[in-house]
Amino acid sequence: MGKIFCIGQSAYDITIPLSGPIVENQKYRVEEKIECGGGPAFNAACLCGIWGADVCLISRLGQDEYGKKLHQTAEECGINVKYLIPDPDLETPHSYIFSNKINGSRTLFNFPGNPGKVDYRFPEEDVSVILSDGHEPEITLGAVQKYPHAFSLVDAGTCRESTLLVAEKVDYLVCSEDFACQYTGKKIDLDDWEACREIFHEIEQINGKYAVITLGEKGLLYRTCGEMRRLPAYLAKAVDTTGAGDIFHGAFAYGLWKGMQLIDILKLSSMASSLSVRRAGSQTSIPKFPEVETELKKYKINTK
């Protein structure tokens, strides 16, 4: 079994729980904050490492305090960090996140840093899975070319040019409802199944292979046996939704690495995401694999 390469952004998250939504021109007294690792590729790699996969992180970390903390967290989660992208002038990306404790929604302010141009040299490794969040498109496309036998997937959260470049070349395009709506210019209405089919078909045409559209608490759309289906979500009382998508994609990569069937990967990923929103923080909300297995056994969930 080869390695999982997680390619993309690492960020340091500072989450501040609030007892309601942010209101303009108000002063808030903050008595609690959660600091932890964040960023789509980083969180996905942490999940894979915690779950015992052979995972490497290809991402940029600065030499500042945030970068040092992320490096330490990655190692503690079992991630191989020897293939990190050297960028000594980078201010490590970081985010301030305000989470609404009532419904778990969050408002995120991300400082992406200013990454420079790098000539990345790929190692001679046996790679089974490549996960990209679209933040390092040139490196991702190089990896897909370098390791042609690896399964590749993209975490397509928003419809950016860099994400589309990657999405066109991967085996699995796993996108958010926001991405699908931004790309097609259409809104997903589950009561209009024919319109959903049209939107799903448009997304499938991007890479011409496998597509999944995640819909949050409404579940997800996927195709099996030639038919588009919906997998309902494992509902939970959300405390903080930060990182839920990253954790979904990390579990998806893990499932590919383990050789699981698509429907089992989707159930695994959905449950991991559901458990994560019940806790505060992003990387700190990653559930253990046995916990996910135990919860899955409690549910009989049918596709529609």
Side-chain angles (χ1 to χ4, degrees), residues 14 45 158 171 217 282:
I14 302 171
T158 55
D171 300 312
E217 63 184 16
S282 49

Side-chain angles (χ1 to χ4, degrees), residues 250-284:
F252 197 105
Y254 178 87
L256 288 175
W257 183 72
K258 294 290 285 187
M260 297 170 62
Q261 296 295 314
L262 178 60
I263 184 59
D264 295 322
I265 292 175
L266 294 175
K267 290 179 179 179
L268 178 75
S269 303
S270 296
M271 181 56 78
S273 180
S274 174
L275 289 172
S276 76
V277 304
R278 306 174 199 187
R279 305 159 185 167
S282 49
Q283 168 259 321
T284 52

Side-chain angles (χ1 to χ4, degrees), residues 155-173:
D155 171 355
T158 55
C159 191
R160 304 188 310 269
E161 181 181 357
S162 59
T163 305
L164 278 172
L165 286 172
V166 173
E168 292 170 356
K169 301 298 182 181
V170 297
D171 300 312
Y172 294 87
L173 167 51

Side-chain angles (χ1 to χ4, degrees), residues 8 10 20 66 103 119-120 127 159 197 205 221 229 252 287:
S10 297
Y66 289 157
N103 61 14
D119 181 18
Y120 193 79
V127 180
C159 191
R197 284 196 183 100
Q205 297 310 299
L221 300 175
R229 295 183 183 273
F252 197 105

Side-chain angles (χ1 to χ4, degrees), residues 51-227:
W51 286 13
D54 188 357
V55 60
C56 300
L57 178 63
I58 300 179
S59 184
R60 301 174 192 250
L61 296 182
Q63 301 301 306
D64 50 18
E65 283 304 309
Y66 289 157
K68 293 174 183 176
K69 289 179 179 180
L70 288 174
H71 195 284
Q72 180 180 347
T73 298
E75 291 183 320
E76 290 172 351
C77 289
I79 298 172
N80 186 330
V81 295
K82 66 180 179 180
Y83 300 134
L84 287 171
I85 303 168
D87 196 347
D89 298 325
L90 176 72
E91 179 184 8
T92 299
H94 52 284
S95 301
Y96 296 102
I97 304 163
F98 298 89
S99 65
N100 184 341
K101 292 190 289 185
I102 295 175
N103 61 14
S105 66
R106 85 287 191 270
T107 303
L108 188 149
F109 298 87
N110 175 251
F111 296 81
N114 187 24
K117 193 78 173 176
V118 296
D119 181 18
Y120 193 79
R121 304 285 180 170
F122 292 98
E124 296 299 326
E125 290 279 11
D126 178 16
V127 180
S128 295
V129 180
I130 300 167
L131 181 155
S132 171
D133 63 16
H135 281 90
E136 297 286 351
E138 293 84 4
I139 292 175
T140 298
L141 296 178
V144 171
Q145 184 176 18
K146 173 72 175 179
Y147 311 109
H149 301 297
F151 291 113
S152 55
L153 73 139
V154 64
D155 171 355
T158 55
C159 191
R160 304 188 310 269
E161 181 181 357
S162 59
T163 305
L164 278 172
L165 286 172
V166 173
E168 292 170 356
K169 301 298 182 181
V170 297
D171 300 312
Y172 294 87
L173 167 51
V174 186
C175 73
S176 68
E177 183 176 5
D178 284 345
F179 177 98
C181 294
Q182 291 162 5
Y183 180 79
T184 64
K186 303 170 185 175
K187 184 178 180 180
I188 295 176
D189 180 0
L190 294 177
D191 292 327
D192 188 344
W193 201 239
E194 188 56 40
C196 288
R197 284 196 183 100
E198 292 177 5
I199 293 171
F200 193 84
H201 180 68
E202 285 189 54
I203 296 300
E204 285 181 311
Q205 297 310 299
I206 296 175
N207 66 334
K209 296 180 181 178
Y210 299 97
V212 175
I213 303 177
T214 59
L215 306 171
E217 63 184 16
K218 296 176 290 184
L220 58 86
L221 300 175
Y222 72 108
R223 187 180 296 282
T224 183
C225 300
E227 290 291 327

